[in-house]
Amino acid sequence: KLRHNRDYLALIRDQPLGFAPGTSERYSNGGYVLLGEVIAKASGEDYYDYLARHVFAPAGMTATSAPVQGDGTPNLARGYTRDGRPGGPERDNMSTRPARGSAAGGSYSTARDLLALDRALAAGTLCSPAWSAWAVGGPRPDRGSAAGAPEAAEFGFAGGAPGIATEWMCPGDVTLIVLTNRDPETTGPVLEAVRGLLRRMKPSPSRP
């Protein structure tokens, strides 16, 4: 039954708040689903259509989408999980995936497309340079420089689930992307090995 981001609201609308708004913070998939619907309501577009038109297309992300499972979308990777048992046998993660991803995650992409997103963000293609800087740790432009932290010299984003894992990090002027159809613990060793190599290299003058 989960075919649209709004379909997820039925799973969370009756859940009690974990704390009074504004008093604490905690990662919440449900919170991101709600944020996706805020985008849909404010834009008047379906959440997935909004991303396709205003993020993926301008960034040049030609292989990124949130397909419905079984709709015939070609070249989709299958995920494989060990169910939290290191060294155990791998199995298809189909039973852990919803029919379609939501604003909390579950879209399909490639490392090339994530690099295109990184470059679009750095170039101010998706929003103004000030808001682009805020997205990676800088101050909010509408609150003045005193209201936020200085622009981050290093930033990153990560996410994962059984048979799915992504790490996208920018340690200085280099972009590192690890994308896999295995469990999240597989990305760390790869990322750290590459970071170790970079530490032994002379820094490049600009981000690739």
Side-chain angles (χ1 to χ4, degrees):
K1 296 180 180 179
L2 300 174
R3 295 293 190 272
H4 298 276
N5 185 71
R6 61 180 177 270
D7 295 336
Y8 285 83
L9 296 178
L11 303 177
I12 62 176
R13 63 164 53 99
D14 296 326
Q15 298 298 314
L17 293 176
F19 43 82
T23 63
S24 186
E25 62 182 56
R26 185 184 308 164
Y27 182 87
S28 167
N29 283 331
Y32 279 101
V33 168
L34 290 173
L35 179 59
E37 285 309 289
V38 169
I39 292 171
K41 293 292 185 182
S43 66
E45 300 181 56
D46 177 81
Y47 171 72
Y48 306 109
D49 291 341
Y50 183 89
L51 285 188
R53 295 171 183 167
H54 302 286
V55 180
F56 302 155
M61 302 170 71
T62 60
T64 302
S65 66
V68 176
Q69 296 296 332
D71 69 355
T73 300
N75 302 320
L76 296 183
R78 300 169 70 99
Y80 298 93
T81 178
R82 298 186 188 276
D83 294 315
R85 297 190 297 270
E90 289 185 323
R91 67 173 180 86
D92 193 297
N93 71 344
M94 181 174 292
S95 64
T96 70
R97 303 197 311 263
R100 193 178 195 185
S102 69
S107 295
Y108 285 75
S109 191
T110 64
R112 184 186 297 272
D113 268 17
L114 293 180
L115 180 60
L117 177 62
D118 175 88
R119 289 174 169 172
L121 185 62
T125 301
L126 303 179
C127 51
S128 70
W131 281 108
S132 296
W134 168 77
V136 298
R140 280 188 54 160
D142 61 344
R143 294 184 179 177
S145 59
E151 184 174 348
E154 178 173 335
F155 70 93
F157 305 94
I164 304 167
T166 307
E167 294 206 41
W168 163 23
M169 298 193 68
C170 295
D173 58 0
V174 177
T175 298
L176 304 178
I177 296 169
V178 180
L179 182 65
T180 181
N181 58 340
R182 257 66 183 186
D183 290 326
E185 56 265 26
T186 63
T187 60
V190 176
L191 190 69
E192 286 308 309
V194 176
R195 293 183 73 181
L197 178 63
L198 288 173
R199 294 187 191 102
R200 298 192 295 271
M201 295 173 61
K202 181 179 179 180
S204 58
S206 61
R207 286 177 56 188

